[in-house]
Amino acid sequence: MPVNHITRNRDFLLSGNHDIYISCCHGSSIAAVGCHGSSIAAVGCHGSSIAAVGCHGNSATAVASASKDEICLSTISPKDKPWNVHRANSDRVKSLYESTELERYGNRIRDCAQMLQFAAVESDEGSLGLKLRTAHFCRVRTCPVCQWRRSMKWRARFFKAIPKILEAYPNARFLLLTLTQRNCELTDLKATLSTMNQAWKRLSERQQFPAIGWIKSVEVTRSLDGTAHPHFHALLMVKPSYFKKNYLSQATWTELWAKSLRIDYTPIVDVRVVKPRPGHEGELGAGLSAALLETLKYGVKESDLVSDRDWLVELTKQLHKTRAVAVGGVLRDLIREDDPEDLIHDEDNPDLGETEEADKFHFGWRERLEEYVYVDRETC
Ligand SMILES: [Zn+2]
């Protein structure tokens, strides 16, 4: 079965022997996990040989060598590879909090997403994929896993609202606006963000401000000298008349932001029009999707989170109880502004309700391997 994802063998299904086959990507052989039936389940991951593990049935269980007996989530479900990257960075952040006054955050992050429970879900094409069903998240603001899940959730919220937005405002256009100011000492970050938020309020209340709706996120990056570079990414929804009579040049945007910030230097401001992809004129979806990725990417780059212990600790204190994402104008009625509670489900991953025990797959985090590894709940 030369596929690189889980596929349900239809012949097996028809025969009532419901097995899920998983192809091996590191090796050349096929690995399979038995599920409903009594047949043998075999799994291989790093090696070229097959390792076999019995599952629900009472048939033979083959034993794999220690280095070849683990099935990695990233192998059988390549789309879930990001889990490894984010969870590995969470381990780094956890380690940085150790022996600091914020050790409690490290303890919470340590327990975050240690075990992922997936359900095998069949697509319309008949192939099987894994959907996250249950996991525990620590919700610490600086946890890379939680930051990633939160940004996915925000994007999902926006995408869910797009049909309603375009129904109410069929000719709406979008701009991507980045507003910066001079770097600040990290110890001044909270005060600086407060000043910037006041400036945003003044900007959005100006008569020239063209947006009828907006979504804005805060990003903080670390400069080489250790200062903080806070800036806003905003997606603005404007009427088509913006381009005819209310158009603001980049220079005017810069001037308005400087006035709103009440500063006497020229801040860096970037403004771009969100365009449909070439060949897809009339469809804003893809362009909007890319713009939204930019707007709701992350609050702090993971590479900055793991770079320096003192910086991380101070950043955590400075970001405490500050708002990461805000929604305004007409979008406020269409997109909820509160921090997402549910970090599991989104439009690509709806709540599956009850799942058959046999269709659940557990993967546990292995810090040393930096991999999520299949855990057979029947045998462990
Ligand atoms: Zn977390």
Side-chain angles (χ1 to χ4, degrees):
M1 192 158 296
V3 287
N4 209 5
H5 59 276
I6 299 180
T7 359
R8 192 178 287 246
N9 183 318
R10 288 198 162 274
D11 291 335
F12 263 67
L13 263 182
L14 291 170
S15 71
N17 200 354
H18 299 180
D19 282 15
I20 292 170
Y21 281 77
I22 301 170
S23 74
C24 189
C25 89
H26 294 281
S28 57
S29 56
I30 290 169
V33 180
C35 194
H36 296 271
S38 59
S39 56
I40 293 172
V43 275
C45 186
H46 294 281
S48 59
S49 59
I50 292 174
V53 183
C55 189
H56 295 278
N58 53 12
S59 53
T61 300
V63 181
S65 65
S67 60
K68 295 172 182 169
D69 62 351
E70 291 175 312
I71 322 169
C72 302
L73 175 64
S74 60
T75 308
I76 61 165
S77 183
K79 74 171 174 57
D80 286 306
K81 272 184 186 165
W83 280 105
N84 289 346
V85 178
H86 299 297
R87 184 52 247 188
N89 278 331
S90 287
D91 280 332
R92 294 182 185 104
V93 171
K94 169 205 73 177
S95 300
L96 288 176
Y97 279 128
E98 277 168 12
S99 306
T100 71
E101 59 192 295
L102 299 181
E103 190 156 16
R104 64 187 184 280
Y105 286 119
N107 294 337
R108 280 169 62 189
I109 293 174
R110 181 194 60 217
D111 296 337
C112 183
Q114 279 294 334
M115 182 69 74
L116 308 177
Q117 187 193 85
F118 289 89
V121 177
E122 191 164 356
S123 73
D124 293 342
E125 294 80 40
S127 64
L128 270 188
L130 294 180
K131 296 273 190 197
L132 183 67
R133 195 179 173 282
T134 309
H136 160 76
F137 294 105
C138 71
R139 299 180 179 282
V140 171
R141 174 88 171 259
T142 48
C143 169
V145 168
C146 289
Q147 185 177 249
W148 167 57
R149 300 300 300 181
R150 218 176 271 121
S151 69
M152 281 170 64
K153 187 74 188 193
W154 269 110
R155 294 203 291 263
R157 242 184 220 185
F158 193 93
F159 278 116
K160 202 173 164 193
I162 284 179
K164 279 187 278 179
I165 294 169
L166 294 180
E167 191 187 335
Y169 304 90
N171 298 316
R173 299 288 304 275
F174 292 84
L175 310 177
L176 197 54
L177 183 66
T178 305
L179 301 171
T180 75
Q181 66 143 66
R182 276 185 185 152
N183 290 5
C184 66
E185 293 300 326
L186 186 57
T187 45
D188 293 333
L189 179 63
K190 201 182 194 86
T192 304
L193 288 174
S194 172
T195 304
M196 287 175 73
N197 279 320
Q198 286 165 19
W200 172 263
K201 189 166 183 293
R202 284 194 283 272
L203 177 71
S204 62
E205 286 171 357
R206 281 177 181 272
Q207 186 259 328
Q208 287 159 288
F209 187 71
I212 52 172
W214 49 264
I215 181 162
K216 167 178 87 60
S217 72
V218 176
E219 184 183 351
V220 180
T221 50
R222 179 180 189 270
S223 296
L224 286 175
D225 61 2
T227 56
H229 178 57
H231 50 283
F232 290 156
H233 293 290
L235 188 64
L236 308 183
M237 181 171 143
V238 296
K239 290 182 178 170
S241 58
Y242 168 76
F243 297 95
K244 293 181 183 126
K245 46 184 182 181
N246 309 115
Y247 185 76
L248 302 179
S249 66
Q250 196 257 348
T252 310
W253 274 111
T254 305
E255 191 189 320
L256 289 178
W257 179 234
K259 277 186 188 164
S260 304
L261 266 174
R262 297 176 177 166
I263 52 173
D264 54 9
Y265 61 89
T266 305
I268 293 170
V269 170
D270 185 75
V271 60
R272 278 174 282 159
V273 178
V274 177
K275 293 182 177 147
R277 276 188 313 172
H280 293 78
E281 286 74 15
E283 290 175 37
L284 206 49
L288 201 49
S289 166
L292 206 60
L293 275 175
E294 185 73 23
T295 312
L296 300 170
K297 208 165 22 178
Y298 39 65
V300 185
K301 278 182 193 153
E302 291 183 21
S303 54
D304 284 348
L305 286 173
V306 302
S307 62
D308 183 278
R309 184 187 304 262
D310 293 341
W311 203 85
L312 173 71
V313 169
E314 186 59 34
L315 175 83
T316 311
K317 290 191 221 165
Q318 294 289 325
L319 286 182
H320 186 59
K321 293 200 169 165
T322 62
R323 181 178 279 284
V325 180
V327 183
V330 297
L331 292 182
R332 208 171 203 162
D333 300 329
L334 300 167
I335 302 170
R336 284 171 51 203
E337 196 183 39
D338 54 323
D339 199 35
E341 282 291 316
D342 177 356
L343 296 181
I344 296 174
H345 307 106
D346 58 37
E347 60 182 21
D348 289 331
N349 187 30
D351 191 343
L352 300 165
E354 282 300 302
T355 305
E356 291 276 326
E357 200 54 45
D359 281 336
K360 291 176 188 168
F361 293 84
H362 295 85
F363 289 84
W365 177 242
R366 299 289 177 269
E367 185 172 350
R368 192 179 46 79
L369 289 176
E370 296 198 354
E371 288 274 8
Y372 278 94
V373 172
Y374 177 70
V375 178
D376 186 347
R377 278 295 175 96
E378 294 290 306
T379 55
C380 66

